[in-house]
Amino acid sequence: MKISNFTKSMQFGIIITIIGASCWGISGCFGQYLFQEKAVTAEWLVAIRLVAAGSLLLLIGFFKDGKNNLSIFKEKRDILKLIIFSFLGMLVCQYTYFAAIQYSNAGTATVLQSTSPIIILIILCIKQKRLPNKIEFIAILGASIGVFLLATHGNINNIIITKYALIYGIGAAIGAVLYNILATDILIKYGVYQVVGYGMLISGIALNIIVKPWKYDVVYDLGMINALIGVIVIGTAIAFSCYLKGVSIIGPLKGSLIGSMEPVVAIISTVVFLGSPFEFMDILGFIFILVTVTLLSFKKEN
């Protein structure tokens, strides 16, 4: 009976983690729809998403933990860490990711963002004043080849992807690195609903003051509302809740590997629902990046 219960628990954990990762991937598709069909900008969407999604996560946090969801504001040092994370981590990560989608598509942007472990590895090697080992070198080389194929389709004289898509895509990877580095301590101490919720809300309020999204001429029709729900509710509240719950059951190794489904889902959803064209060299580039990042995930855990 114990074995059966354990198996059922693991199956539930795997399923809910897959749902969480898939929701992140699908949210990029909703963002692409807004850029293509509703002519909104990354600045407008990120300003709206940060405030709405942050508020939603905080509501969940207060529902789960009550007044404990304010504990992050008890220590000045943690408040400073939260503010730094809000702008250098959350805002940079969110804006560069959606800007990359605006200038390319959800699949390409998500794959480029997924190279963040490679950047962390390079930083680690520099910090430790050492060369990459065999597996690390293969991962760096594979990811570099993947980015090269996406950008040029194998012809160094022919840039396929726009320069803004490439810059913002690599920026999204750097943003993801900053997001993880800056949030590590306070995430462990306070949990995702406080850190990510307040991080989104603080950076979102600041961005709203700058961007003034209420001055944009947008039409809130059914397509707009559904896509916003997809970005805010599915891509934030459901994604974070399911993924973190699943990882708590199956562990970080399986969680990180299942998390690599996010770019795969983003690619499939943009092709199926938005008709984004991908050529053979694009797919080959995706494969190089995803396989090498997965290889690095195995190495990091072992």
Side-chain angles (χ1 to χ4, degrees):
M1 181 64 70
K2 289 182 179 180
I3 295 176
S4 177
N5 287 338
F6 174 78
T7 302
K8 288 180 180 179
S9 177
M10 286 297 292
Q11 289 174 345
F12 173 75
I14 290 170
I15 291 170
I16 203 168
T17 306
I18 290 172
I19 292 172
S22 299
C23 286
W24 272 320
I26 292 171
S27 71
C29 181
F30 283 114
Q32 183 178 332
Y33 169 81
L34 288 170
F35 297 139
Q36 288 182 356
E37 305 297 329
K38 302 302 176 183
V40 303
T41 64
E43 294 85 1
W44 181 90
L45 179 57
V46 173
I48 296 293
R49 187 203 187 202
L50 285 173
V51 169
S55 300
L56 188 56
L57 286 177
L58 288 173
L59 281 174
I60 296 172
F62 276 106
F63 178 77
K64 289 174 80 276
D65 302 319
K67 291 183 179 180
N68 288 333
N69 213 45
L70 293 168
S71 58
I72 195 169
F73 296 107
K74 291 181 179 179
E75 296 184 26
K76 290 182 179 179
R77 182 182 297 179
D78 292 337
I79 294 174
L80 179 60
K81 288 181 179 179
L82 175 63
I83 292 172
I84 293 172
F85 164 71
S86 298
F87 293 104
L88 295 183
M90 179 61 71
L91 183 56
V92 171
C93 181
Q94 291 289 310
Y95 176 70
T96 52
Y97 172 65
F98 280 102
I101 294 176
Q102 182 179 346
Y103 287 105
S104 58
N105 56 69
T108 300
T110 310
V111 170
L112 287 173
Q113 186 186 54
S114 71
T115 61
S116 58
I118 305 296
I119 297 175
I120 293 175
L121 170 61
I122 293 171
I123 293 172
L124 187 63
C125 289
I126 293 172
K127 231 175 143 182
Q128 295 177 349
K129 297 178 180 178
R130 67 174 179 84
L131 294 173
N133 61 35
K134 188 176 180 180
I135 293 178
E136 291 170 343
F137 177 77
I138 292 171
I140 293 171
L141 180 63
S144 301
I145 292 172
V147 173
F148 174 75
L149 291 175
L150 283 178
T152 69
H153 282 188
N155 183 354
I156 197 169
N157 297 314
N158 184 29
I159 303 298
I160 302 298
I161 194 172
T162 68
K163 65 177 181 179
Y164 290 112
L166 186 59
I167 290 169
Y168 281 121
I170 299 301
I174 295 172
V177 172
L178 292 172
Y179 178 98
N180 283 283
I181 291 175
L182 295 173
T184 300
D185 293 344
I186 50 178
L187 268 174
I188 293 171
K189 190 172 181 179
Y190 297 106
V192 68
Y193 292 108
Q194 284 193 68
V195 176
V196 177
Y198 286 119
M200 283 185 164
L201 188 60
I202 292 168
S203 58
I205 290 172
L207 189 60
N208 270 268
I209 292 171
I210 297 169
V211 174
K212 297 180 176 60
W214 55 87
K215 290 188 174 182
Y216 281 61
D217 185 20
V218 297
V219 178
Y220 289 92
D221 57 15
L222 187 60
M224 170 74 82
I225 293 170
N226 286 338
L228 285 175
I229 290 172
V231 171
I232 294 165
V233 179
I234 296 176
T236 305
I238 296 176
F240 272 109
S241 299
C242 290
Y243 184 79
L244 293 172
K245 176 63 177 178
V247 169
S248 71
I249 297 171
I250 66 176
L253 172 58
K254 289 187 178 69
S256 65
L257 294 176
I258 291 174
S260 65
M261 285 186 58
E262 179 188 351
V264 176
V265 172
I267 293 166
I268 294 172
S269 60
T270 54
V271 171
V272 173
F273 298 112
L274 298 178
S276 295
F278 292 113
E279 297 182 17
F280 172 74
M281 284 296 184
D282 294 316
I283 302 300
L284 192 60
F286 294 154
I287 291 172
F288 264 101
I289 292 172
L290 296 177
V291 169
T292 51
V293 169
T294 303
L295 176 67
L296 191 60
S297 298
F298 271 115
K299 186 264 172 189
K300 283 169 65 179
E301 292 294 334
N302 296 325

